[in-house]
Structure formats: C-alpha cells, structure tokens
Amino acid sequence: MDFNVIWYILIGLLLVGYAILDGFDLGVGILHLFSKGDHNRRIMLNSIGPVWDGNEVWLITAGGALFAAFPEVYATAFSGFYLPFMLLLIALIFRAVSIEFRSKEPSKRWRSTWDTSFGMASMIAAILFGIAIGNVVMGFAIGSDKVYQGTFFDLITPYTILTGFFNLSMFTMHGAIYLNLKTEGALQNQVKGWIRSSYIIFVIMFAITTAATLYLRPEMVANFSFGLIELPGAYHALVAEHHTLISILAWFIVLLNLLSIANIPRTLAKDKPMQTFISSACTMGAIIGLFALGIFPNMMISSLSPEFNLDIYNGASSGYTLRTMFFVAIWGLPFVLGYTSLIYWTYRGKTKLNESSY
Amino acid sequence: MELDIEFLSRLQFAFTIMFHYIFPPFSIGMGLLLVIYETLYYVTRKKIYESITRFWIKIFAANFSIGVATGIVMEFEFGTNWATYSRFVGDIFGSPLAAEGIFAFFLESGFLAILLFGWNRVKPGMHLFATCMVAFGSMMSAFWIVVANSWQQTPVAYELAVTADGYTRAVITDFWGVVFNPSSMVRFFHVIVGSWIQGAFLIMSVAAYFIIKKRDLEFAYRSFSLALIVAATAALIQPAIGHYHAQVVGEYQPAKLAAFEGLYETQKAAPLSIIGWTDPEEQATYGIEIPGLLSFLLYGDFEAEVKGLDQIKKEDWPPVAQVFQTYHLMVALGMFFILLTLLSLFLLFRKKLFDKTWLMKLYVPLVVLPVIANQAGWVSAERGRQPWIVQDLLRTSDGLSKSVTAPEVLISLILFFIVYTLLFFVWLYVLDREIKHGPEDHVHGPETYHHREERIDPLSKLIK
C-alpha cells in the first residue's frame, strides 16, 4: 500500500467521521422544523449544543487534507462545484449563527426566525452534500486539462436530485436516532415516531438510489466483481493485482450495510437507543465505504473520457508531502480522538436545560 | 458591461477575509484575558472573578461563533475561486491548512464545549484547563494560517516541477523549512500581539461603559485594569516586533518595503517617513521624514543603501499609495496605543484612572481603532505583495479558476455581502443586549461550592 492509497483511506475516514457526527446534528436541525414548543426546541438544540462545532471540524479538516494530499482534485471539485459550494457555505454560516443567537432574546418572532433559518440551513446542507456525491458517481465534464467544462445546470440532474434527497432522508433518520439518546418523556415518544417514519422513507430511498446507481453506472460494481468487470480508464496495476482482496472487502461492507440497516428497527423495538445509534452510524459508514470502493482508485470521474479521470495518482501531491503529512496526521489523530471522546463523555446522558444552555 | 472576473474574485476574497479578520483577533485577545481572569478566580475563589470570567465568556462566544462560521469560507475559496493557484501550491499550501484542522480546530472546538457549557458540569480546575486550551488553540490556528500566508510572501524550501500534464507546480522539499520560512515567526508574533491589543480594547471599551453608567463598578474596575495591563504590555512589545518584521520585508520583499515608505529612488541614508502621502504618478512622497533613519532601522547604519522602486520593473510594483497609507495608518495607531495605555497605566497606579470620565468616554468608541490597525496592517501586507499571489513565482491574475464565470462570482459576492451585513448587525445587536444585561451575580445554585473560601486578592491594592 502506498501513501496515495493511505490518504484516500484517511480522507474517507474523515468524511465518514463527518457524516456520522455532523450527520446527526444536521438531522436534529431538520427535525427542529417539525418540533413544537420552546422547551422541546431548546432540548433539541442543546442536545447538539456542545458538539456541533467539533463535528463540523471534521469537514474543515477533510477539506484541508484534500487540499494537501490531492490538490488537483480539490481544485477541480471546488471550482467545478462553485455555486453549490457557495450555497453550502451560506447554509453553514446561517446554521452556526442560528444556534448561537436563537436563545439570546425571549421574543417569539426572534426565536421562530432563527428556528426557521436553523432548520432550512440544515436541510439545504444535507441535500447539497447528497447532490455532490451524486455528481461524483455520475462524473463531471472534466477536460484534458483537469478543468471542469460544464455549467452549474449540468450538476442538477434527476439522479443528483435523487441522491440529494436520499442523503436528506439518511441524515434525518440519523438525527432522530441521536435524539432518542438525548430526550425523555413525551418528547422521546415523539422522537420514536420520527424514527419510524424516517426509517421507512430512508429504506425506500436507499432501494431506489441503489437501483438507479446500478442502472446508470454499472461500472460502480467493477471493484465488487473479483476482476470480472474492468474499471474504465487508466490501468492501475495496484487494483488489478489486488482485485480479490478489494472485492472481498467490498462484499463485507455490503453485508455490514444490510445487517446494520436491519438492526435499526430491531434495536428500536428492544429499546436499546445506543445500539440503534451505532447501527445507524454503521449504515452511514458502510454507504460511504461502498461509494468510495465503487469509484476507487478514481476520485473524480470525467464524463467526457475515462482518460481524464482524476485518480489517487494524477490528482495527488508529491510523495514527500504525502509522507510528511501522513506523520502529521498520525501524530494528531490520537489527540483528536481524545478531545472528541472527552467531550462526548462530559455531555453524556439525557439533555437537561440549565443556565449555560442555549 | 463586461464583468472582470479577476477584479470580482479579488474583491470577494478581500471582503470575506477582512470581515472574517474582525473576529479572530478578538478571540485571541479575549482568550488570553479569560485565562488571566479565570486563573485569578481559581486562585482567589472570589465571587467577583467568577462574574468577570462568566460575563466575558458570553461575549467571547458571540465573537467566536462568527469567526468560525466565516472562516470556513476562506478554505473553500482557495479551491472555488483560485483553483489554478491551488494546483500550483497545493503541495505546499494545503499542508498547513490540514495541520490547522488537526492541531488547532479540534482542540478549540472540543474545549470550547467545556468553556461554554461546562461551568457546573466539570470541576473548576478542569474548566480553567479548557479555557487555557481554547486560548492556546486559537493561537495555534493563527500560527498555521500565518505559516501558509508567509510562505506566499517568502517562498522557500520548494522546487518547481513539471507535472505529467505539462504545467509547472511548486513541490515541497523540506516541510519544516516551509513552516519556519523566513517571515512566518515574526509575522505570527506581530499578528498575535496585535490581537491581544484588539481583545483588550474590547474589554476596556465595555468596562468603561459600565464605569460611565456607574453600574457593576467592581466588576468593571477589575476587568479594565487587567485588560489595560495586557494592552500596554502588548503595545510596548509591538514596535520591536514590527521593526524586526520590516527588516525581513526589506530583505525578501524590497518592492513592498519601498511601497511602505514611498521610496521611489534607491538611495543611501534613506529617510523614514513619519506621516505624509505619496503620488506614484509623480513618483514623489511628501510629508515629514527623518533623514537616514530608514537605513539605520533596516541595517543599523545611517548611511546604508536602501532599494527603491526604481530597481523594480514597473509592472511588478504594488499599488504604492494604498500600501503606503495603510502602513502608515497602522504605525500611527500603534504609536497612539502606546501613549494612551501608558498614560492610563500611570493614572491607574495613581488611583485616578477611573475618575477621569473623559478618558472613560474615550475608551468606549476606541475599540474600533485596533480593529482598523489590524486590518490596515493586513491590507498593507497583502496589497504590498501584489501583483504576485506567490512572491516572484505566480501572478495573482494567473491564479484564477478557469471553470468559474464572472456572473457566478458576482452572485456569490452579492450573497456574501447580504449575509455578512446581516450577520454584522445581528452580532452588534446581540453584543449590545449582553452588555446592557451585564454580569450576573452567580452566587446561587449548585456552583456555590466554588466560593467556599476566599483567598488573597492581588488586584485589591490597585482599586480603591
């Protein structure tokens, strides 16, 4: 395994961490729109209060790591995705300040304005992430100079809208499952209702999205085929030599995905909220893993020609940077996990309001 | 009308970064003072220091959240608006950004949760530790960003390599060489000390308001005195760092230094311009100058030769007038801070400071001056580097994204303008409410165990 592969995995892990962590607080934001009464809303807001900021850091760090390790991919993706990313930024800004400012004023109008902006911003962010992933699957109009040739409207297709709403359903379900850990009494009963309906929507969306992906992009399963299907584009000795190992890993993730999806209603019925949450987190990790294995070793697929694909080699930094930054990451990672666990441990248990709450 | 994408992209970057740069210096400066206040609380267990710490934490939180929210924009903009630049420097520039994420943001955001919500949840020692970590994290964050920026100013430890696609990019040869490039450390200290001044002035401004209103006086006196000591110390250190910084600029970026001083001709015994204005058309600078002082400050020799703009091709000149004026504005404000804080310190030790109503009234609006000084310094540093986005390697006009169109940039610029204007007024409104509400008397509730005993109080001698 070379450092290019390691960085592909590391950035994948950062994105999985981001999806699992910020996924639930975006989900809480989306559900905020459906909740009633100031007390319930404050409970929901404070259930993510101490952690949402740290969750978002996973995205920022993934962005920085992408810039450092795969600058060509970073440059092509960010400039190609210009307007959606700008909307995402605005949504993230609104979300952050809504959380911070909502409770600074008791007036009803003030609070309901920030509630709406918090909920809408969370929803828009979730949809935009899904649209971005959908485009990576479908491919961008990347030319020979690694530059995106299309326009904003090429990014919005029925398939990418589907993945956008698929992601929305996944984050909403994950948010509801998180709230099940953090709430009690009448609110928790309401939360359980949300889990049931969002789970049904999620399973339907999951089936449609999987079918659409296999129909539109059959090459997404090349890495699952034990070498029977060739990946279009440049020949990668690494993938060819290890296709058995890669395929076994891929089918293992498929299994994990199905088991964890099935485990959600089971643990919910047995009233084990922590296990439901772990199942939901595993579901999300598996879906991202399937997606990552589907395009590997490419990072961005060109819809113009497979020759113009950006992969982990032609999109990467120099070997020196990849190696140095790997050691930086290895040094930093234990600290990151340390602070994250400390915070989640400090704020474990049901959310209660006190004078330092939002 | 043809929209100019370079102009729009630069305007967008300048606007978003200048707006962002209002907030981190407040966080860094207030972070240091929070550590001081809370340490005093931890040692003395006096109720008043709990009020002080907890009140300023609230103000800190409002700043910090806007700083974080507007900071992500920068990281995105390198890729969205400056993709060609990102391809050129990605091997080098991305690394400090990633390091900032790993080493600073996780630290800050993790301990921020304890700082904001942990007062009754963790032990006082743990809370103090969290405060220290947030303050330290905000400085680490500044460190990595300044490293990235400094490499653009004084690029070292790289080589130019041709990619398989046939274009050139800069490739790192020595990571620590990039981190400790010739200007990173001095620029870092310059930024940090400037931030201490800005944060301290915010606290002094609010405390002065309480003093004028004759409310929460003990709270205000103590807050003010400590902030004043920090501001005065920082103001006194800053010229020394600035002086050393200018030497580095003179060595590595002579065009910028010549623009700082409006020096068009290379000359021996170059004068230091104190105040004035410069006319790039006429190639002349007017105003008060001290002969030979620039040569002395740069080289320790009144007769030394200083490079002027005549040694630099005209197409490589920075916008001289803007650089000159912003630089002089920064220096003038720096001098003013020294005078003001020394005078105030003198009055504090004579126990007359808080009786001087005129001075207290002056401090309330003065919080904008360090903001202006920090912004002016930043503008002079960044405009002084133009037309280069990476000094002598890549021109700003060559760094743009090829796939982005001018209308797209215009749309995003308008969006940012609307959102940031709104944000700014909401921020002012929330600050105003927090300040009018004032510190609370935190004696009841589960945190009373914090005050079991009160010990010696080092400040009480200063305050009547």
Side-chain angles (χ1 to χ4, degrees):
Chain A
M1 209 186 314
D2 50 20
F3 282 107
N4 300 59
V5 178
I6 291 175
W7 270 104
Y8 188 78
I9 297 170
L10 278 179
I11 288 172
L13 288 178
L14 283 169
L15 287 177
V16 169
Y18 176 70
I20 291 174
L21 296 174
D22 213 31
F24 75 67
D25 68 51
L26 284 164
V28 170
I30 296 158
L31 291 164
H32 200 78
L33 287 172
F34 300 98
S35 64
K36 296 276 179 298
D38 193 53
H39 181 78
N40 283 355
R41 292 191 161 185
R42 282 190 68 200
I43 291 275
M44 288 172 66
L45 201 62
N46 284 292
S47 74
I48 60 167
V51 295
W52 72 270
D53 185 30
N55 296 345
E56 207 167 282
V57 169
W58 289 77
L59 176 71
I60 303 171
T61 306
L66 187 68
F67 195 173
F70 302 104
E72 303 281 2
V73 179
Y74 167 82
T76 306
F78 278 56
S79 60
F81 230 62
Y82 189 85
L83 281 180
F85 274 171
M86 289 297 157
L87 281 177
L88 176 65
L89 285 174
I90 305 261
L92 292 179
I93 292 173
F94 265 108
R95 228 176 81 84
V97 294
S98 303
I99 296 172
E100 181 58 39
F101 290 150
R102 180 193 183 273
S103 302
K104 299 282 179 196
E105 172 93 57
S107 119
K108 258 202 155 142
R109 258 184 64 190
W110 173 269
R111 293 198 167 182
S112 69
T113 310
W114 289 117
D115 283 336
T116 316
S117 113
F118 175 48
M120 294 303 291
S122 305
M123 196 182 266
I124 291 170
I127 294 175
L128 286 170
F129 284 124
I131 290 180
I133 298 289
N135 274 293
V136 177
V137 173
M138 289 306 283
F140 292 80
I142 300 172
S144 59
D145 53 357
K146 298 178 180 168
V147 175
Y148 175 63
Q149 316 275 342
T151 66
F152 167 66
F153 296 101
D154 298 336
L155 302 169
I156 312 296
T157 64
Y159 179 78
T160 59
I161 292 173
L162 175 70
T163 52
F165 280 90
F166 168 59
N167 194 47
L168 179 68
S169 73
M170 184 163 77
F171 280 8
T172 310
M173 174 186 75
H174 192 54
I177 289 172
Y178 174 77
L179 281 175
N180 193 21
L181 283 168
K182 289 294 186 185
T183 55
E184 47 199 346
L187 181 58
Q188 193 180 16
N189 286 333
Q190 195 183 9
V191 164
K192 284 185 173 154
W194 290 339
I195 298 178
R196 282 184 215 107
S197 29
S198 59
Y199 177 76
I200 294 167
I201 299 173
F202 164 76
V203 171
I204 296 169
M205 293 295 286
F206 178 72
I208 299 174
T209 310
T210 309
T213 308
L214 292 178
Y215 177 70
L216 293 167
R217 285 276 165 232
E219 61 268 32
M220 282 292 282
V221 293
N223 283 333
F224 296 62
S225 71
F226 294 93
L228 294 176
I229 304 175
E230 288 266 321
L231 202 66
Y235 175 79
H236 287 285
L238 184 85
V239 183
E241 278 166 25
H242 297 98
H243 56 69
T244 318
L245 183 71
I246 294 172
S247 299
I248 291 174
L249 180 66
W251 284 103
F252 174 75
I253 297 177
V254 172
L255 188 69
L256 172 73
N257 198 3
L258 295 176
L259 287 179
S260 54
I261 291 177
N263 205 32
I264 291 172
R266 195 181 73 90
T267 50
L268 191 65
K270 287 175 112 182
D271 210 17
K272 299 240 163 101
M274 194 59 198
Q275 292 184 13
T276 321
F277 183 76
I278 292 168
S279 305
S280 168
C282 287
T283 306
M284 295 171 74
I287 288 172
I288 295 171
L290 291 178
F291 155 77
L293 269 173
I295 59 168
F296 180 81
N298 292 310
M299 297 190 77
M300 291 184 85
I301 292 160
S302 169
S303 56
L304 302 179
S305 160
E307 283 170 37
F308 306 151
N309 288 351
L310 291 182
D311 61 35
I312 60 170
Y313 298 104
N314 70 1
S317 284
S318 66
Y320 177 86
T321 295
L322 292 176
R323 203 183 57 212
T324 314
M325 289 312 292
F326 171 72
F327 291 113
V328 167
I330 288 301
W331 261 95
L333 220 58
F335 289 103
V336 170
L337 296 177
Y339 318 134
T340 310
S341 326
L342 176 73
I343 298 315
Y344 279 87
W345 176 250
T346 307
Y347 295 97
R348 70 192 178 279
K350 302 288 180 191
T351 303
K352 298 222 169 29
L353 298 181
N354 65 35
E355 52 172 313
S356 16
S357 302
Y358 284 126
Chain B
M1 194 187 85
E2 190 69 19
L3 292 168
D4 179 3
I5 184 161
E6 184 191 346
F7 173 74
L8 289 171
S9 285
R10 290 176 70 167
L11 186 63
Q12 177 168 316
F13 199 83
F15 175 67
T16 49
I17 204 160
M18 285 176 80
F19 186 82
H20 172 66
Y21 194 53
I22 295 173
F23 304 97
F26 278 136
S27 301
I28 293 169
M30 287 186 78
L32 174 70
L33 275 152
L34 284 181
V35 169
I36 295 174
Y37 293 144
E38 197 171 340
T39 307
L40 278 170
Y41 169 66
Y42 188 77
V43 173
T44 65
R45 293 299 158 97
K46 256 175 106 83
K47 193 182 74 196
I48 184 72
Y49 289 119
E50 177 174 7
S51 293
I52 289 176
T53 309
R54 298 186 69 174
F55 176 76
W56 295 114
I57 283 176
K58 282 200 260 177
I59 307 288
F60 177 86
N63 284 320
F64 196 90
S65 60
I66 298 201
V68 171
T70 54
I72 312 175
V73 176
M74 282 33 269
E75 193 202 45
F76 272 50
E77 274 178 338
F78 297 121
T80 51
N81 295 69
W82 304 94
T84 311
Y85 158 81
S86 298
R87 289 178 211 279
F88 180 77
V89 299
D91 201 73
I92 298 167
F93 193 85
S95 304
L97 294 192
E100 186 192 22
I102 294 169
F103 290 128
F105 287 151
F106 278 111
L107 182 76
E108 274 175 303
S109 63
F111 286 103
L112 184 72
I114 295 179
L115 178 70
L116 298 187
F117 309 104
W119 197 267
N120 302 325
R121 195 138 189 156
V122 298
K123 293 206 167 111
M126 179 64 199
H127 195 276
L128 174 61
F129 178 70
T131 308
C132 293
M133 287 299 109
V134 171
F136 174 68
S138 61
M139 285 198 257
M140 284 298 286
S141 182
F143 175 77
W144 289 107
I145 282 305
V146 167
V147 162
N149 176 277
S150 297
W151 185 83
Q152 288 173 271
Q153 312 266 359
T154 53
V156 290
Y158 69 93
E159 61 190 19
L160 293 177
V162 179
T163 66
D165 303 313
Y167 63 87
T168 308
R169 68 175 189 179
V171 174
I172 197 167
T173 54
D174 172 14
F175 179 74
W176 294 110
V178 167
V179 173
F180 295 103
N181 68 65
S183 64
S184 60
M185 288 316 285
V186 66
R187 181 173 285 111
F188 170 66
F189 286 117
H190 198 53
V191 163
I192 291 294
V193 173
S195 303
W196 288 346
I197 298 175
Q198 188 176 321
F201 265 76
L202 177 64
I203 287 178
M204 291 195 287
S205 161
V206 177
Y209 167 82
F210 286 134
I211 292 165
I212 296 165
K213 292 277 169 193
K214 296 202 179 358
R215 52 174 281 201
D216 299 300
L217 283 176
E218 207 192 343
F219 163 89
Y221 290 160
R222 287 168 196 266
S223 298
F224 193 105
S225 314
L226 287 165
L228 175 62
I229 294 169
V230 167
T233 316
L236 279 173
I237 305 172
Q238 193 66 305
I241 302 172
H243 161 71
Y244 184 66
H245 192 176
Q247 288 184 332
V248 174
V249 172
E251 190 176 342
Y252 292 91
Q253 296 175 293
K256 189 199 278 191
L257 187 89
F260 278 170
E261 295 295 340
L263 196 68
Y264 292 94
E265 282 169 35
T266 301
Q267 53 191 280
K268 288 187 172 166
L272 186 79
S273 153
I274 299 299
I275 188 167
W277 61 285
T278 188
D279 184 348
E281 293 301 314
E282 299 270 322
Q283 304 209 358
T285 302
Y286 311 92
I288 306 169
E289 293 177 341
I290 303 177
L293 193 57
L294 181 61
S295 294
F296 178 74
L297 286 176
L298 288 177
Y299 302 107
D301 171 7
F302 283 100
E303 291 302 316
E305 188 178 84
V306 180
K307 248 193 195 179
L309 285 162
D310 54 354
Q311 299 232 345
I312 289 141
K313 279 185 277 175
K314 194 137 191 203
E315 75 247 31
D316 293 347
W317 281 22
V320 182
Q322 290 176 28
V323 176
F324 178 90
Q325 292 304 350
T326 48
Y327 175 77
H328 278 77
L329 179 61
M330 173 191 76
V331 174
L333 287 172
M335 295 299 148
F336 173 71
F337 297 147
I338 297 178
L339 292 177
L340 179 73
T341 52
L342 285 186
L343 169 72
S344 307
L345 263 190
F346 174 74
L347 290 171
L348 179 72
F349 285 110
R350 304 278 313 264
K351 300 198 177 190
K352 283 180 180 160
L353 175 64
F354 301 121
D355 303 331
K356 305 274 185 237
T357 317
W358 64 271
L359 193 56
M360 290 299 114
K361 282 187 174 156
L362 187 64
Y363 266 107
V364 175
L366 276 198
V367 59
V368 297
L369 290 188
V371 179
I372 293 171
N374 281 325
Q375 298 271 348
W378 197 253
V379 170
S380 67
E382 296 306 293
R383 294 294 276 155
R385 186 189 46 179
Q386 301 302 328
W388 301 102
I389 196 166
V390 182
Q391 185 75 46
D392 300 328
L393 286 179
L394 185 72
R395 281 180 189 273
T396 309
S397 53
D398 294 332
L400 289 161
S401 294
K402 289 178 185 143
S403 60
V404 177
T405 61
E408 287 179 314
V409 182
L410 184 64
I411 292 170
S412 58
L413 180 60
I414 293 171
L415 272 177
F416 280 123
F417 185 75
I418 296 170
V419 171
Y420 281 9
T421 310
L422 181 78
L423 266 190
F424 189 71
F425 284 104
V426 170
W427 176 69
L428 285 182
Y429 175 76
V430 168
L431 276 195
D432 182 62
R433 274 192 55 89
E434 290 281 11
I435 292 164
K436 294 228 167 93
H437 184 244
E440 277 163 88
D441 209 348
H442 297 278
V443 273
H444 35 264
E447 67 276 18
T448 32
Y449 72 89
H450 287 205
H451 315 294
R452 257 194 316 241
E453 45 185 323
E454 295 193 352
R455 295 179 214 149
I456 24 98
D457 174 16
L459 262 199
S460 38
K461 281 189 184 144
L462 271 180
I463 295 149
K464 55 198 163 166

